[in-house]
């Protein structure tokens, strides 16, 4: 019988319900039992009803020789499978309709796997994270009954779900490829607490039909990261076939025996030749290996060999994948997008990357932040009241193009001072200039303008010694009804 004829023969038998269980109306399963006054029934129905009967071995033999259409043919599957492999295929079929993974949030969508990513992006966009480098950051409240579901879109698309176990002792992760394909990709999960400590675990990305879980002990996590409620979870997906291979026999000679990081110049050594990095050396009175005293000897031979080593960025534990030569490392680390920064406001304990410090200022300190490169205000000004304003000072923060500046205005009995500091630069080689303009509001075209370079790394004592200042008696001529108006504008030096 030809292939086409066999297909027609199979479909005819199926349409006449020859292979349909007389009890449940589903496709028969082996062993098939012929029950008197009932008909051919599947094994499950026979056992459930405790029916006596005879094995229908001939029908079983015919069924085993046929290719049966997948039961999900109505949703798009065109596969015909040998009967003995049919159950395995249908349990993994990508056309199997499943509910949305956000059903716990009330979503009633149900569909095939291929349509799930587009549905998720359209209806759950707040839960979609995108990063072309496959590095994602999620803030998780581990004190609550957590159930966080995110779609991670990068070089690969994955669903991650984070929740507590039923007892509440573990944080449970499931990470699945949304295309339901087997892959060799690893996933590194890092938990960063308020103290900067990091707890890291590694897992494989699974399929939706073969979900694997990873568990993190919450008590240990809190202790290691000093976390009470919120913790930052960083997910990094990488293909194990693309991982760079290092010659560990060479690298072990560059590992500092104290902090375990790769040493870079200057490298110090004790009199017996044990070497240490420049960060650890000042903390050591004696060599921890041989207890010998230190001098000022450096290991110049080892320093010379560092020119051939690629170093990981010091913020690699926060997600940076850069590896650079030693002469390029400092410049990169100064502007690394994963470098953590404290909030510039003294009374705020927030820490974040360069990109989210600006967002934090805008969301939490709007009364003190100007989201522009131009700021104009009117200030009370009376010469006879200057004594009351001795060392009067205000601070404002200006954010534009991901650069963050602090404008400080100070006044004493003789002068008014303006200073602008660069707190965070988007590019390390940028130089900025600030203009201070005094406006006579009676005649707006009459202005007094001075400019200077924005400050970097200047302490408070020196700040107002080199800044823009105007004598108060000159400002008095620009005052109107006891008030004077000034503006500050920041621009990049060309």
């Amino acid at each position: 019988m030809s292939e086409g004829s066999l297909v027609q023969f199979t479909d005819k038998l199926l349409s006449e319900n020859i292979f349909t269980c007389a009890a449940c109306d589903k496709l028969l399963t082996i062993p098939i039992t012929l029950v008197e006054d009932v008909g051919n029934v599947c094994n499950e129905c026979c056992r459930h009803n405790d029916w006596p009967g005879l094995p229908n071995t001939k029908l079983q033999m015919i069924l085993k020789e046929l290719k049966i259409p997948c039961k999900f043919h109505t949703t798009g599957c065109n596969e015909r499978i040998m009967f003995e492999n049919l159950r395995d295929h249908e349990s993994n079929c990508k056309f199997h309709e499943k509910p949305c993974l956000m059903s716990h949030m009330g979503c009633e969508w149900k569909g095939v796997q291929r349509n799930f990513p587009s549905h998720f992006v359209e209806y759950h966009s707040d839960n979609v994270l995108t990063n072309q480098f496959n590095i994602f950051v999620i803030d998780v409240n581990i004190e609550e009954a957590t159930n966080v579901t995110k779609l991670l879109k990068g070089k690969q698309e994955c669903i991650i779900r984070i929740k507590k176990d039923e007892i509440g002792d573990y944080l449970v992760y499931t990470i699945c490829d949304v295309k339901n394909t087997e892959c060799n990709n690893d996933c590194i999960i890092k938990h960063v607490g308020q103290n900067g400590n990091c707890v890291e675990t590694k897992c494989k990305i699974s399929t939706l039909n073969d979900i694997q879980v990873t568990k993190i002990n919450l008590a240990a996590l809190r202790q290691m990261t000093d976390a009470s409620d919120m913790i930052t979870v960083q997910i990094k997906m990488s293909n194990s076939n693309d991982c760079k291979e290092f010659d560990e026999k060479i690298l072990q000679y560059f590992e500092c025996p104290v902090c375990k990081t790769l040493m870079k110049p200057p490298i110090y050594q004790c009199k017996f030749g044990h070497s240490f990095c420049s960060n650890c050396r000042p903390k050591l009175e004696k060599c921890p290996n041989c207890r010998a005293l230190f001098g000022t000897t450096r290991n110049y031979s080892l320093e010379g060999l560092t020119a051939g080593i690629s170093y990981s960025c010091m913020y690699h534990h926060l997600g940076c994948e850069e590896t650079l030569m030693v002469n390029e490392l400092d410049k990169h680390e100064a502007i690394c997008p994963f470098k953590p920064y404290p909030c510039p406001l003294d009374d705020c304990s927030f820490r974040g990357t360069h990109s989210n410090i600006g967002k934090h200022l805008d969301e939490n300190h709007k009364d003190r932040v100007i989201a522009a490169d131009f700021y104009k205000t009117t200030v009370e000004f009376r010469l006879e009241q200057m004594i009351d304003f001795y060392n009067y000072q205000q601070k404002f923060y200006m954010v534009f193009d991901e650069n963050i500046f602090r404008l400080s205005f100070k006044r004493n009995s003789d002068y008014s001072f303006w200073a602008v500091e660069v707190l965070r630069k988007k590019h390390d080689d940028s130089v900025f200039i600030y203009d201070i303009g005094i406006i006579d509001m009676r005649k707006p075209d009459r202005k007094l303008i001075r400019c200077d370079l924005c400050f970097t790394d200047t302490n408070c004592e020196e700040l107002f010694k080199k800044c823009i200042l105007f004598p108060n008696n000159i400002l008095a001529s620009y005052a109107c009804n006891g008030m004077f108006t000034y503006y500050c504008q920041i621009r990049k030096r060309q």
Side-chain angles (χ1 to χ4, degrees):
M1 186 180 292
S2 67
E3 183 73 22
S5 299
L6 185 59
V7 169
Q8 292 178 357
F9 173 71
T10 303
D11 290 345
K12 179 175 175 54
L13 294 178
L14 290 170
S15 66
E16 295 179 357
N17 297 325
I18 302 298
F19 299 121
T20 301
C21 174
C24 65
D25 288 331
K26 296 180 181 179
L27 185 69
L28 288 166
T29 57
I30 294 175
I32 301 172
T33 304
L34 181 60
V35 180
E36 188 176 2
D37 298 328
V38 178
N40 292 304
V41 297
C42 64
N43 184 48
E44 186 175 345
C45 289
C46 188
R47 287 190 295 105
H48 178 73
N49 294 284
D50 197 22
W51 283 328
L54 299 173
N56 196 336
T57 54
K58 293 297 184 181
L59 193 61
Q60 288 178 187
M61 291 173 64
I62 296 173
L63 193 55
K64 286 183 178 180
E65 296 297 322
L66 301 178
K67 286 186 176 181
I68 309 297
C70 172
K71 68 179 180 181
F72 301 116
H73 66 275
T74 56
T75 56
C77 184
N78 297 317
E79 295 283 340
R80 300 180 76 94
I81 314 297
M82 294 301 295
F83 177 77
E84 59 184 355
N85 299 323
L86 186 62
R87 179 169 291 185
D88 287 341
H89 166 81
E90 290 179 344
S91 64
N92 294 296
C93 182
K94 61 184 180 181
F95 293 96
H96 185 178
E97 282 195 331
K98 295 182 179 180
C100 176
L101 292 177
M102 296 295 285
S103 58
H104 63 282
M105 298 294 291
C107 182
E108 298 179 353
W109 180 89
K110 189 176 182 180
V112 298
Q113 189 58 44
R114 64 181 179 183
N115 296 331
F116 173 71
S118 58
H119 159 78
F120 201 100
V121 170
E122 182 176 355
Y123 291 95
H124 309 293
S125 57
D126 291 343
N127 291 72
V128 178
L129 301 179
T130 303
N131 187 294
Q132 61 177 326
F133 301 110
N134 276 4
I135 300 172
F136 307 92
V137 178
I138 304 173
D139 289 327
V140 176
N141 190 325
I142 58 178
E143 284 296 318
E144 297 178 353
T146 306
N147 195 334
V148 178
T149 303
K150 300 284 185 182
L151 175 64
L152 312 179
K153 289 174 63 67
K155 296 178 181 178
Q156 180 180 1
E157 292 187 4
C158 291
I159 282 288
I160 182 169
R161 176 171 286 179
I162 310 170
K163 63 180 182 179
K164 281 186 179 180
D165 65 348
E166 294 181 358
I167 302 176
D169 292 339
Y170 289 88
L171 208 57
V172 181
Y173 291 85
T174 56
I175 304 177
C176 306
D177 179 87
V178 296
K179 295 181 180 178
N180 210 26
T181 55
E182 296 286 347
C183 62
N184 295 318
N185 285 21
D186 294 324
C187 183
I188 298 175
I189 304 171
K190 298 178 181 180
H191 308 79
V192 183
Q194 294 177 348
N195 59 7
N197 288 348
C198 175
V199 175
E200 179 178 312
T201 187
K202 185 177 181 181
C203 63
K204 287 284 186 182
I205 298 173
S206 59
T207 66
L208 288 167
N209 293 326
D210 183 23
I211 294 177
Q212 303 177 30
V213 301
T214 300
K215 293 186 176 182
I216 305 293
N217 185 285
L218 280 174
L221 186 62
R222 288 191 180 98
Q223 183 177 355
M224 289 292 294
T225 61
D226 193 27
S228 57
D229 47 11
M230 297 301 296
I231 192 164
T232 300
V233 177
Q234 299 171 349
I235 304 103
K236 175 183 175 184
M237 296 184 292
S238 61
N239 192 314
S240 57
N241 295 328
D242 295 335
C243 293
K244 296 179 180 180
E245 296 182 359
F246 294 95
D247 188 350
E248 295 185 359
K249 291 183 179 180
I250 298 297
L251 288 180
Q252 66 179 344
Y253 295 108
F254 292 89
E255 185 180 275
C256 175
V258 177
C259 65
K260 304 302 180 183
T261 60
L262 294 183
M263 294 181 288
K264 55 184 179 180
I267 301 173
Y268 295 93
Q269 66 178 35
C270 74
K271 66 179 182 179
F272 291 110
H274 299 120
S275 298
F276 302 89
C277 73
S278 57
N279 290 328
C280 293
R281 168 61 190 87
K283 305 173 186 176
L284 302 171
E285 294 182 3
K286 295 182 180 180
C287 174
N289 290 337
C290 63
R291 311 306 297 171
L293 294 173
F294 282 107
T296 57
T297 306
R298 285 169 58 178
N299 193 332
Y300 290 106
S301 297
L302 205 59
E303 287 182 12
L305 292 174
T306 60
I309 295 179
S310 292
Y311 287 82
S312 296
C313 171
M314 66 185 297
Y315 306 112
H316 68 276
H317 66 288
L318 298 178
C320 183
E321 293 185 302
E322 291 287 343
T323 56
L324 304 106
M325 306 308 290
V326 66
N327 61 333
E328 302 171 335
L329 196 62
D330 289 342
K331 183 178 180 180
H332 163 77
E333 290 175 348
I335 58 172
C336 176
F338 294 92
K339 180 180 179 180
Y341 293 99
C343 175
L345 275 71
D346 297 335
D347 54 353
C348 180
S349 60
F350 176 85
R351 291 180 64 86
T353 61
H354 185 285
S355 59
N356 60 27
I357 279 289
K359 180 181 178 182
H360 163 77
L361 287 171
D362 183 54
E363 292 180 350
N364 297 276
H365 308 293
K366 283 188 175 181
D367 57 328
R368 300 171 68 181
V369 174
I370 301 98
D373 59 351
F374 185 87
Y375 172 61
K376 178 180 175 183
T377 188
T378 300
V379 181
E380 185 176 0
F381 183 87
R382 296 180 188 277
L383 282 177
E384 64 272 16
Q385 294 179 347
M386 286 298 105
I387 191 67
D388 298 329
F389 286 101
Y390 183 71
N391 283 336
Y392 168 79
Q393 187 170 336
Q394 287 181 320
K395 291 182 180 179
F396 296 95
Y397 297 85
M398 303 176 71
V399 180
F400 75 96
D401 193 26
E402 297 186 31
N403 302 291
I404 303 175
F405 303 83
R406 178 164 56 206
L407 165 63
S408 298
F409 170 60
K410 176 182 176 181
R411 187 165 62 196
N412 60 27
S413 58
D414 298 316
Y415 294 95
S416 293
F417 307 82
W418 289 265
V420 174
E421 305 164 82
V422 187
L423 300 183
R424 307 285 181 264
K425 287 185 183 181
K426 184 177 180 180
H427 302 292
D428 192 51
D429 56 353
S430 299
V431 177
F432 294 93
I433 296 171
Y434 71 105
D435 298 333
I436 299 296
I438 313 300
I439 306 174
D440 187 343
M441 296 307 293
R442 296 164 299 188
K443 299 178 181 179
D445 292 334
R446 181 173 179 253
K447 299 176 183 178
L448 182 63
I449 303 172
R450 287 191 60 185
C451 64
D452 205 344
L453 293 175
C454 294
F455 295 92
T456 56
D457 301 322
T458 304
N459 60 48
C460 295
E461 294 180 358
E462 297 294 322
L463 187 64
F464 291 109
K465 293 181 180 179
K466 306 174 183 177
C467 67
I468 293 176
L469 61 87
F470 292 106
N472 290 329
N473 56 3
I474 293 180
L475 294 180
S477 65
Y478 287 79
C480 178
N481 298 322
M483 310 291 286
F484 85 94
T485 301
Y486 77 86
Y487 71 81
C488 175
Q489 185 168 20
I490 300 172
R491 50 194 169 90
K492 185 184 292 187
R493 187 172 71 178
Q494 301 299 321

